[in-house]
Amino acid sequence: MLWIRLAFRELLRNKGFSLFFTANLAVGLCGFVAVQSFSRSLNQHLDDNLRNILTADLVVTANAPFTPAEKEVMHQVLGPDVQVSEVIRFFTMVQTRDTTRLVQVMAVDDRYPLYGGFALDPGTHRSAIHQSPSVFMSRDTAVTLGIRDHADPRDGLQDDSGRKAVPPGDSAPPSPQTLTLGNTPFTVAGFFVDDPDKALTTLELAPKIYVGANQVADTGLLGFGARVRYHIYCGMPPGTDVPALTQALRSGFAGLSPDQPRIRVRDSRDVSQSLSRVTGYFAGYMALVSLVALFLAGMAAAFLFRGFLGGKHKEIAVLMSLGARRSGVCAFLFAQLIFLGLLAAVMALAGAWLLLPAFPWMLKGLVPEGIVLNMDLATAGMALGLGGLGSLVFCLPVLVNLLSIKPLLLLQGSAADKGVNPWWRAAAFLPGGIWFVAGAMLVGGSPANGLVFTAGFALALVIFALAGWLGAGWCRRLAHTRHLVRKLAFLNLYRHMGASLACFVTIAMGVFLISLIPQVQKGLQTEIQRPEGLKIPVFFLMDIQDDQTGDLETFMQDHPGNLENLSPMVRGRILAVNDTPFHTREDNRESSGRPRRTEHNFSYRADLDPSETIVQGPPLSSDPWKYGSQTLFEISVANSFAQDHDLVIGDTMRFDIQGMVLEGRIHNIRKVRWNSFQPNFFLLFQNGVLNNAPKTWLGAVAQVPPDQRPGLKNKIVQAFPNISIIDVTQMITTLTFIADRLSISVRFMAWLAIAAGLVSIFSIARHQARRQAAQTNLLKVLGTGFSDIRRISLLEFGSLGFAAALVAVILSAGFSRAIAWYFFDSLWALDIGYLLGILILTTLICMATAVAAAGKILKTRPLMLLKKSG
């Protein structure tokens, strides 16, 4: 207990060290705790709502109506107690009096949803959409469609049982309003605030509207070529082993068509895996960045403790000469570090609690609405553990210096022996390295991601350390001058190389993180909005029937805009690759062991689109392939599809094209720029293979003046009700919004890293100012003005910050280029203005920090400094 009392008394006497050590560690720990709390809250929200998100225990999906044999398999496997709801889902255009827009139609029966429900207007019943052609939609969708653009009270909602959820209000539409789906007019039966079909994000290709499944047959939208998905939602009695039923269904359907399974079965595990993949990308990256911030804080903590312990060597030696054991001294220092670490953890928990509400704003549209964010006991325990034990791990390389303290050396005027065993020094860094690698593997989503991140981080540290060491040599050369300010500033940097190097690496790593992502983001946005060498269309047309292509071309000749790249599309299945069933080969993109998808869209074209480039092999033959010939037809495969499915030139592929079995050979691999928003396909066939097959067409419309786009879209849908139109400009806006949000989240964590770096910079500057107090005092005594002394600090830390930031932005440009090449197909653009801004801002921040840190020394009278020195 004596050592603990002495430890606390020592911390109270050194309030400056205690404050900066705790604040520095708290800032570094705060971001890590906040990200972990957000991730755990998001996972908890998904776990608690998985069944409601799926609206069933399991879902069976097909691209065509279920056959009697398939329904019999379901009946045999699921038994008589299953609750079943059938849903048809498809995209189409909806017409109102003022506008036309792509919507997602949910054609549901009267049992949907099995879990969850609608929150409908008062007096509106679920049965309304089944009794007549009518729809349910959200008010936001109605405003988008121009159906109801006046203000609406949002009170008076009811749930499915008719009970009032909030105080009632008059929110019913004043008169029935209509819209057109295909060939049939529908009325608006009511509005909902929350629909049962939950999604992870609020960003969707098109808004949803609900209709009765018995009302869609007359619309003409379910004909040949329509992209329709048929779902059977199944609710099981409590206690049912749903995963076992899922596997039994998959086996049963595979038995009906072993060579070409067409039915997909999902349960809550699949939903959880899909959502975890989506959330894991940005949560994992933010966690890794926050881990770097904690590492930088640890570096600063070690440096602070080094300065604190360095002034205590003689005191510790005296204690040991009076009989204190080395273990007692260690307990004394351990108690101090653990207490400061725990205090930092408490401060970090408070800061993380304040930061949590910012995450839904930063990731708006990317995470579910209504998520409840909180910190559980596991997160609090993790923070306390990282604070208490982390402070020991960070400072262990400094604590090893206790081995060099020998009381006998006090007689020689020193208390420490410089000859500490190098192996002990190296071993002291080992726990910190293990801790960082383990943390990266834990939060990075997979061990491989953690190791790759650690390798990249280590490489950056080595580069920064090497650059700082080389810079120290230049400081020595720059100090050879008669200019007092420059001479002393660069001499200080060179003489205190350890402190300068720590400060350099800390600044550089923070700037590196801030500068890295914007380069990739700018490249992505530029490529999405204005891909080099390509023209972005205004509209993307789908579901064009074979007999409509001529009429559509004639129609577009009389209206603004150019119809481009009309491409045939034939639906089929991949049966085998090199005589191995395609669906049994493990998909590189899946880890669940499920069969890979066999249904795909195929096409053919005389010439490649400008968005396509052959990267391996010769072009496809222009001579038509003849059915019944002994030669295999040629296939062109997109490089992304080839990589995902382990395909190479020369592989043979067997297909089922609407009942006909055909076989071809991969002739070339081509790169596809999907951001062109032109009709592109994974697989292109040689001319002559698909020409006579029943098909639909895709197309693009370009060069339409902005003021004429709404009118043209309305006229196309009026003339061709079955054609679906995607507004490409709106999609680009959505994709840009996603990129912006992800960039905001990553920058936020990067700024936390630089905040930890700024605390360490301030601490290092303050420590250096104290170490140079005698020099400052001598300069004052010799008549040097405050302005010159201040300029020395400004030049010392300004040059340090500028050099570190310059190296960091250059390295970030190189790293971002490599990331863009590896992950984003070389979509990269250098943002010179942003990098210059970061360079200037970092330099100014370092200069201001140095002046603030040295302010107290500058204001101290020379006599007081002489007394302290004496």
Side-chain angles (χ1 to χ4, degrees), residues 323-522:
R325 296 182 178 180
R326 198 180 300 270
S327 59
V329 175
C330 290
F332 171 80
L333 295 173
F334 284 6
Q336 290 181 330
L337 289 174
I338 292 174
F339 173 76
L340 293 177
L342 292 175
L343 182 59
V346 172
M347 295 172 60
L349 285 171
W353 183 76
L354 295 175
L355 286 178
L356 272 180
F359 281 88
W361 172 81
M362 288 188 299
L363 300 172
K364 182 179 179 181
L366 301 175
V367 297
E369 292 185 348
I371 181 174
V372 178
L373 301 177
N374 51 48
M375 279 185 288
D376 54 17
L377 292 177
T379 302
M382 178 195 68
L384 293 174
L386 285 175
L389 298 179
S391 59
L392 291 178
V393 172
F394 293 141
C395 297
L396 192 58
V398 179
L399 287 170
V400 77
N401 289 328
L402 290 175
L403 299 175
S404 68
I405 298 177
K406 297 179 180 180
L408 291 177
L409 295 177
L410 283 171
L411 299 175
Q412 302 176 9
S414 174
D417 183 8
K418 302 299 183 181
V420 177
N421 192 322
W423 290 105
W424 281 108
R425 290 193 180 276
F429 287 96
L430 189 60
I434 294 174
W435 173 86
F436 185 85
V437 174
M441 294 172 66
L442 179 66
V443 303
S446 70
N449 291 343
L451 291 176
V452 170
F453 179 83
T454 302
F457 179 74
L459 179 60
L461 279 182
V462 170
I463 293 175
F464 291 144
L466 181 60
W469 181 75
L470 293 175
W474 280 100
C475 289
R476 185 179 184 182
R477 296 182 182 181
L478 292 172
H480 290 295
T481 177
R482 294 184 178 181
H483 191 277
L484 178 64
V485 172
R486 196 174 81 181
K487 184 180 186 67
L488 291 179
F490 288 112
L491 271 179
N492 289 337
L493 289 174
Y494 176 73
R495 288 171 178 171
H496 309 292
M497 185 180 297
S500 301
L501 193 58
C503 191
F504 183 94
V505 171
T506 301
I507 298 170
M509 185 56 71
V511 174
F512 174 74
L513 293 173
I514 295 174
S515 307
L516 180 65
I517 295 303
Q519 308 307 310
V520 180
Q521 178 202 12
K522 183 177 177 62

